[in-house]
């Protein structure tokens, strides 16, 4: 089994140059062959540098020994590869002959050292190896390697050889010319290189010095000499990596001078720079040697206090920084300045993994809170609040993606006439078909988008989807009125009416009369004038309006008069409680009276039992929705429900109480409630 030569590289030269730098142009595509060729090119460069600089570090004997070792390994290895593919081809015999000639020439060069000068032998060896590189490695070895690669792909020998010659056409000749030109330039310019050696060394030293300066500027602040953000990040990361060995905390303190911009604008940048240098010196005098002070830029500093057992230990440092910032700063001509600073603080470790940049951002957020609190103070980063904010933002992003991925659906809850059973319409209710949590009700996600632009996006989606459903039912010949909840933010958004007008214009004629918009009473009262105008404008398009959760706001007669709605939806809390709570019953009766006085229709929400329906009919209220009628259902269940829906018998023939009977009923209910509430003696 062949092994690589033990010595593939010589001692590096102090002054060396890669006359023939290895790159992709030398590659044949056979890794084992290329690795061996790379060794030869390295030896060739070593010999070329030896000739150019007449280095005494390495002797010609070592060069020839390395070449002999390389030759023995390379020829055996390469010939073993070629024998697998060219055993019967004349090219194999030619290749063996060339290898034999190389060995003879190398032997002759080694013998010539006895009679010729070392410089002459080195030049002869360099010329021989250069021409070997050009004519044999770049031409013959490359051609045979291309042939082998083609045969490995399934080509016959002759076809593979033809393809290899096509691949080499043009490129190989150019490479050979380049190699020979490099050798010629080397031979003619050797003395010139030697003369310029000292100058080259001086340039290298100047370059190294410039590089050291650039590296320093890349990691340190030019004005104060403090570590900049790059070096600070590295140091904090190192501390984090070693933190498992310590139970103590690390305090990250973000310090910002209050009103520094005014100083720059008033006194100029020269004075501003002086202030920053003084502040940097004061901060450094406060901290210990193990702590870190860094300037990020402008008037922003970060101080890292290491190995503190708890936050309370950090407080004296914070007080010292605030005191140092408030000390008088002397200027020229007896003038002085007085400043203050704001500090933001965060601690490490925390309950989860965190990067230095995240720690800096936390301290920056805390600094902002200190500024908001009046400056000249410190604020500690609130992890709980930060988690809440991040969770909220994450939830908003999930909702946005859910809308984008069409995960939201509409369910429909019917509204009926309790006495006749007639279907008065359906309320469209949004649901989120969450991919992991299942079907979510509005209360589980709508509060997250309150006062956020996503509320408008969801509202627009509900409106568009409901209108699509209305159109489908119109096409089928059995349309229903669909009511859609519109939040105050959506109703009061600029251009809502025009947007609705454009939406309706793109749909079937007459679709508007089957659309009812429900507005929360509390939302309607936020800006009664604006909401009233919007409702008027939308009604002109043929759309109906209802007030949702009526009775929960300030239901005055003047407000009801100014809102031109068609229907009042009584809040379900009053409907559910009317059987036990006389006050809920009284409110319900009052709302029915208002509706009758203003000629408004009424829908009672929250009808959950037969008794609720019976009581509503007793009071003269026939429009209702609730679980006793039907739960919200997907659209594909509506046809079956409508076909099977029947009014309970106890509702169908229920008479309306007379006014006297109603008054007597309310009075008895109130007396009974008072009696039950009276404490026993």
């Amino acid at each position: 089994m062949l092994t690589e030569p033990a010595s593939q590289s010589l001692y590096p030269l102090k002054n060396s140059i890669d006359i023939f730098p290895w790159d992709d142009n030398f590659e044949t595509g056979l890794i084992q062959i290329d690795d061996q060729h790379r060794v030869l090119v390295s030896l060739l460069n070593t010999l070329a540098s030896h000739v150019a600089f007449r280095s005494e570090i390495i002797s010609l004997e070592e060069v020839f020994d390395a070449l002999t070792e390389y030759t023995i390994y390379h020829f055996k290895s390469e010939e073993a590869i070629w024998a697998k593919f060219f055993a019967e081809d004349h090219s194999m015999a030619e290749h063996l002959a060339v290898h034999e000639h190389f060995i003879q020439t190398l032997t002759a060069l080694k013998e010539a050292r006895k009679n010729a000068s070392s410089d002459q032998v080195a030049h002869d060896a360099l010329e021989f190896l250069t021409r070997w590189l050009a004519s044999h490695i770049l031409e013959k070895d490359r051609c045979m390697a291309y042939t082998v690669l083609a045969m490995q792909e399934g080509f016959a020998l002759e076809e593979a050889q033809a393809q290899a010659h096509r691949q080499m056409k043009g490129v190989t000749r150019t490479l050979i010319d380049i190699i020979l030109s490099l050798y010629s330039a080397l031979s003619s310019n050797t003395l010139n290189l030697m003369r310029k050696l000292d100058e080259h060394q001086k340039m290298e030293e100047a370059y190294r010095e410039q590089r050291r300066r650039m590296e320093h500027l890349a990691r340190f602040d030019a004005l104060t000499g403090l570590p900049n953000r790059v070096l600070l990040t590295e140091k904090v990361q190192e501390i984090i990596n070693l933190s498992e060995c310590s139970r103590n905390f690390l305090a990250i303190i973000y310090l910002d001078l209050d009103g520094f911009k005014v100083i720059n604008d008033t006194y100029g940048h020269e004075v501003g720079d002086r202030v920053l240098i003084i502040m940097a010196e004061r901060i450094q005098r406060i901290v210990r040697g193990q702590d870190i002070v860094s300037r990020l830029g402008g008037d922003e500093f970060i101080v890292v206090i290491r190995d503190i057992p708890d936050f309370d230990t950090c407080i004296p440092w914070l007080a010292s920084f605030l005191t140092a910032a408030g000390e008088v700063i002397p200027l020229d001509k007896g003038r002085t300045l007085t400043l203050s600073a704001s500090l933001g603080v965060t601690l490490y470790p925390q309950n989860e993994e965190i990067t230095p940049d995240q720690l800096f951002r936390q301290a920056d957020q805390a600094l902002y809170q200190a500024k908001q609190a009046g400056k000249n103070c410190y604020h500690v980063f609130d992890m709980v609040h930060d988690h809440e904010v991040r969770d909220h933002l994450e939830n908003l992003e999930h909702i946005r993606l859910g809308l984008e991925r069409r995960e939201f659906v509409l369910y429909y809850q019917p509204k009926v006439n309790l006495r006749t059973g007639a279907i008065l319409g359906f309320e469209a209710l949004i649901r989120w078909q969450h991919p992991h949590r299942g079907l979510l009700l509005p209360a589980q996600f709508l509060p997250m988008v309150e006062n956020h632009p996503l509320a408008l996006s969801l509202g627009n989606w509900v409106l568009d989807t409901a209108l699509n459903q209305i159109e489908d039912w119109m096409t089928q010949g059995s349309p229903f009125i669909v009511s859609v909840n519109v939040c105050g933010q959506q109703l009061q958004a600029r251009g809502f009416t025009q947007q609705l007008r454009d939406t309706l214009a793109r749909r079937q004629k007459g679709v508007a009369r089957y659309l009812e918009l429900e507005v929360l009473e509390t939302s309607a009262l936020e800006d009664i004038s604006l909401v009233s105008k919007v409702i008027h404008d939308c009604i002109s398009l043929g759309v109906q309006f209802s007030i949702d959760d009526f009775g929960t706001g300030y239901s005055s007669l003047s407000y009801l008069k100014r809102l031109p709605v068609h229907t009042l939806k009584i809040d379900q809390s009053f409907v559910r409680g009317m059987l036990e709570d006389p006050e809920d019953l009284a409110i319900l009766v009052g709302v029915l009276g208002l509706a009758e006085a203003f000629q408004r229709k009424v829908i009672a929400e929250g009808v959950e039992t037969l008794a609720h329906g019976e009581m509503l009919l007793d009071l003269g209220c026939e429009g209702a929705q609730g679980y006793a009628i039907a739960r919200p259902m997907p659209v594909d269940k509506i046809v079956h429900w409508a076909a099977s829906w029947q009014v309970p018998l106890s509702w169908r023939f229920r008479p309306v109480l007379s006014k006297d009977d109603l008054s007597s009923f309310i009075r008895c209910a109130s007396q009974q409630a008072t009696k039950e509430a009276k404490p026993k003696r």
Side-chain angles (χ1 to χ4, degrees):
M1 180 176 178
L2 294 173
T3 59
E4 294 190 23
S7 175
Q8 290 191 354
S9 63
L10 303 176
Y11 296 104
L13 297 174
K14 181 178 180 181
N15 300 306
S16 63
I17 183 170
D18 283 352
I19 304 298
F20 312 107
W22 182 276
D23 61 19
D24 293 345
N25 292 314
F26 287 89
E27 302 283 357
T28 66
L30 294 178
I31 296 175
Q32 189 175 1
I33 299 296
D34 291 337
D35 287 344
Q36 298 166 24
H37 288 172
R38 189 180 288 105
V39 174
L40 178 61
V41 171
S42 176
L43 290 171
L44 184 56
N45 282 325
T46 300
L47 184 58
S49 297
H50 179 79
V51 170
F53 302 110
R54 290 185 179 180
S55 172
E56 300 299 331
I57 295 179
I58 184 169
S59 67
L60 281 179
E61 185 176 355
E62 290 179 281
V63 173
F64 283 122
D65 287 346
L67 282 170
T68 301
E69 188 178 0
Y70 159 76
T71 302
I72 294 171
Y73 170 73
H74 171 65
F75 286 175
K76 287 184 179 181
S77 176
E78 184 180 272
E79 288 168 9
I81 295 174
W82 299 151
K84 295 179 182 179
F85 297 91
F86 305 101
E88 305 298 329
D89 189 68
H90 65 88
S91 60
M92 184 64 185
E94 293 177 358
H95 218 77
L96 293 175
V98 173
H99 281 184
E100 182 62 31
H101 175 69
F102 181 93
I103 295 172
Q104 293 172 359
T105 303
L106 183 59
T107 302
L109 287 169
K110 294 168 72 173
E111 288 294 322
R113 286 181 296 164
K114 299 176 181 179
N115 303 314
S117 66
S118 294
D119 285 346
Q120 184 60 50
V121 174
H123 274 284
D124 291 345
L126 180 60
E127 180 179 4
F128 167 65
L129 291 176
T130 302
R131 296 190 182 282
W132 172 267
L133 173 67
S135 63
H136 184 76
I137 289 180
L138 290 179
E139 187 170 8
K140 292 184 175 59
D141 279 359
R142 181 190 294 270
C143 184
M144 295 185 78
Y146 286 170
T147 303
V148 169
L149 292 173
M151 293 175 70
Q152 288 175 344
E153 293 179 1
F155 288 91
L157 176 60
E158 293 183 1
E159 295 175 337
Q161 288 174 329
Q163 178 169 308
H165 283 295
R166 285 194 297 272
Q167 287 180 270
M168 295 183 61
K169 188 176 181 181
V171 176
T172 300
R173 186 68 259 168
T174 301
L175 287 174
I176 292 172
D177 291 342
I178 291 172
I179 294 297
L180 294 177
S181 297
L182 287 171
Y183 170 71
S184 175
L186 174 67
S187 299
S188 61
N189 291 315
T190 298
L191 294 177
N192 187 47
L193 285 171
M194 293 173 62
R195 284 193 298 268
K196 293 188 175 182
L197 178 58
D198 289 340
E199 181 182 345
H200 176 72
Q201 290 177 328
K202 292 177 181 178
M203 291 177 62
E204 282 191 342
E205 183 59 35
Y207 168 75
R208 284 193 290 270
E209 178 59 27
Q210 180 67 14
R211 184 168 182 175
R212 282 194 294 269
R213 291 179 59 193
M214 294 296 292
E215 289 177 350
H216 185 273
L217 289 174
R219 297 159 65 84
F220 291 88
D221 175 47
L223 179 64
T224 63
L226 295 174
N228 62 13
R229 189 183 187 104
V230 174
L231 183 55
L232 173 68
T233 303
E234 293 177 4
K235 288 180 174 292
V236 173
Q237 185 62 61
E238 290 174 3
I239 297 171
I240 290 175
N241 294 341
L242 297 173
S243 63
E244 294 180 359
C245 304
S246 173
R247 295 183 179 181
N248 285 340
F249 286 95
L250 186 74
I252 308 292
I253 304 166
Y254 208 123
L255 184 150
D256 179 89
L257 299 179
D258 301 326
F260 180 73
K261 184 178 182 302
V262 176
I263 293 176
N264 264 338
D265 294 343
T266 305
Y267 297 97
H269 289 283
E270 185 176 345
V271 172
D273 288 348
R274 182 179 175 185
V275 169
L276 294 174
I277 292 172
I278 291 173
M279 283 305 306
E281 293 171 349
R282 290 179 180 177
I283 295 171
Q284 287 178 288
R285 285 198 298 267
I286 294 171
V287 301
R288 304 162 302 178
Q290 67 190 47
D291 302 323
I292 304 168
V293 181
S294 169
R295 178 176 175 238
L296 300 188
D299 60 328
E300 296 178 333
F301 296 85
I302 282 188
V303 184
V304 179
I305 305 297
R306 302 182 62 175
D307 293 329
I308 55 174
D310 49 42
F311 173 73
D312 289 343
T313 310
C314 184
I315 293 178
W317 271 294
L318 300 178
S320 296
F321 295 143
L322 293 175
T323 300
E327 292 176 2
V328 173
I329 297 176
L331 300 180
D332 57 356
K333 299 179 182 179
R335 295 181 300 172
T336 59
L337 284 175
T338 303
L339 291 173
S340 65
S342 298
L343 309 177
V345 189
T346 191
L347 297 180
Y348 178 88
Q350 299 177 4
N351 293 331
E352 56 189 35
E353 292 185 7
I354 192 168
T355 66
D357 281 337
Q358 289 172 321
L359 287 170
F360 303 155
R361 283 197 294 272
Q362 289 181 357
D364 191 19
Q365 291 177 36
L367 171 66
Y368 174 78
Q369 296 297 324
K371 293 280 190 181
Q372 294 294 106
K375 304 178 182 179
N376 194 26
C377 63
Y378 68 83
H379 185 86
V380 183
F381 179 73
D382 187 342
M383 183 64 67
V384 174
H385 176 70
D386 181 65
H387 277 294
E388 290 175 352
V389 171
R390 280 193 288 167
D391 289 345
H392 181 63
L393 293 176
E394 187 175 309
N395 288 331
L396 289 175
E397 178 62 11
H398 289 164
I399 292 173
R400 186 192 67 78
L401 289 175
L403 193 57
E404 184 179 293
R405 295 167 181 168
R406 300 183 179 182
E407 295 172 358
F408 290 94
V409 295
L410 285 187
Y411 272 44
Y412 296 87
Q413 187 174 31
K415 296 179 286 187
V416 302
N417 185 298
L418 297 175
R419 182 169 279 107
T420 66
I423 300 174
L424 305 178
F426 291 87
E427 180 179 2
L429 300 167
I430 190 171
R431 299 288 188 269
W432 186 1
Q433 190 62 59
H434 196 281
H436 306 299
R437 299 169 59 192
L439 191 68
L440 302 183
L441 297 177
Q444 294 173 276
F445 58 89
L446 285 185
M448 301 175 191
V449 300
E450 189 173 355
N451 298 321
H452 189 276
L454 268 176
L456 299 180
S457 299
L458 285 174
N460 291 334
W461 177 86
V462 171
L463 185 58
D464 285 339
T465 306
L467 285 170
N468 290 340
Q469 188 56 55
I470 291 173
E471 282 192 304
D472 286 347
W473 283 334
M474 290 177 67
T475 302
Q476 297 168 17
S478 56
F480 295 106
I481 294 175
V482 176
S483 57
V484 173
N485 292 287
V486 180
C487 67
Q489 181 183 356
Q490 185 179 10
L491 188 69
Q492 298 174 41
R494 183 184 298 273
F496 173 78
T497 305
Q498 184 59 48
Q499 183 180 353
L500 180 61
R501 180 181 289 106
D502 295 340
T503 301
L504 293 173
R506 294 193 298 268
R507 302 182 181 278
Q508 294 184 37
K509 186 177 181 180
V511 71
R513 62 179 172 168
Y514 295 104
L515 175 65
E516 181 181 62
L517 300 181
E518 294 188 6
V519 185
L520 285 173
E521 181 185 4
T522 50
S523 297
L525 300 182
E526 289 176 0
D527 190 337
I528 189 70
S529 299
L530 175 61
V531 171
S532 178
K533 183 180 184 308
V534 171
I535 292 176
H536 272 291
D537 293 341
C538 292
I539 287 176
S540 68
L541 302 176
V543 176
Q544 301 181 54
F545 267 87
S546 65
I547 294 292
D548 197 13
D549 293 350
F550 191 78
T552 58
Y554 184 56
S555 310
S556 73
L557 298 180
S558 61
Y559 284 152
L560 189 56
K561 178 181 178 182
R562 294 174 63 185
L563 294 174
V565 297
H566 303 84
T567 305
L568 304 180
K569 295 191 72 176
I570 304 175
D571 184 66
Q572 56 187 322
S573 62
F574 304 127
V575 176
R576 289 172 180 166
M578 66 180 179
L579 299 177
E580 296 84 17
D581 191 334
E583 292 183 354
D584 284 343
L585 179 61
I587 291 174
L588 187 61
V589 171
V591 171
L592 292 174
L594 283 175
E596 182 180 2
F598 285 91
Q599 297 182 339
R600 303 286 198 267
K601 299 177 183 177
V602 175
I603 295 291
E605 296 182 291
V607 178
E608 297 185 348
T609 64
L610 289 177
H612 285 112
E614 293 167 358
M615 175 66 77
L616 288 172
L617 287 170
D618 289 343
L619 300 177
C621 176
E622 298 182 351
Q625 71 181 94
Y627 289 175
I629 301 165
R631 291 176 176 269
M633 65 191 80
V635 68
D636 57 359
K637 303 292 185 183
I638 290 178
V639 173
H640 174 73
W641 174 85
S644 60
W645 157 247
Q646 290 184 348
V647 177
L649 291 178
S650 63
W651 293 356
R652 185 182 296 275
F653 302 107
R654 193 82 176 181
V656 179
L657 292 176
S658 66
K659 292 184 179 180
D660 291 340
D661 291 340
L662 178 59
S663 298
S664 176
F665 177 82
I666 294 175
R667 186 169 56 255
C668 291
S670 178
Q671 291 173 350
Q672 181 63 29
T674 302
K675 181 179 179 182
E676 292 176 357
K678 188 175 181 180
K680 296 181 179 180
R681 293 183 180 273

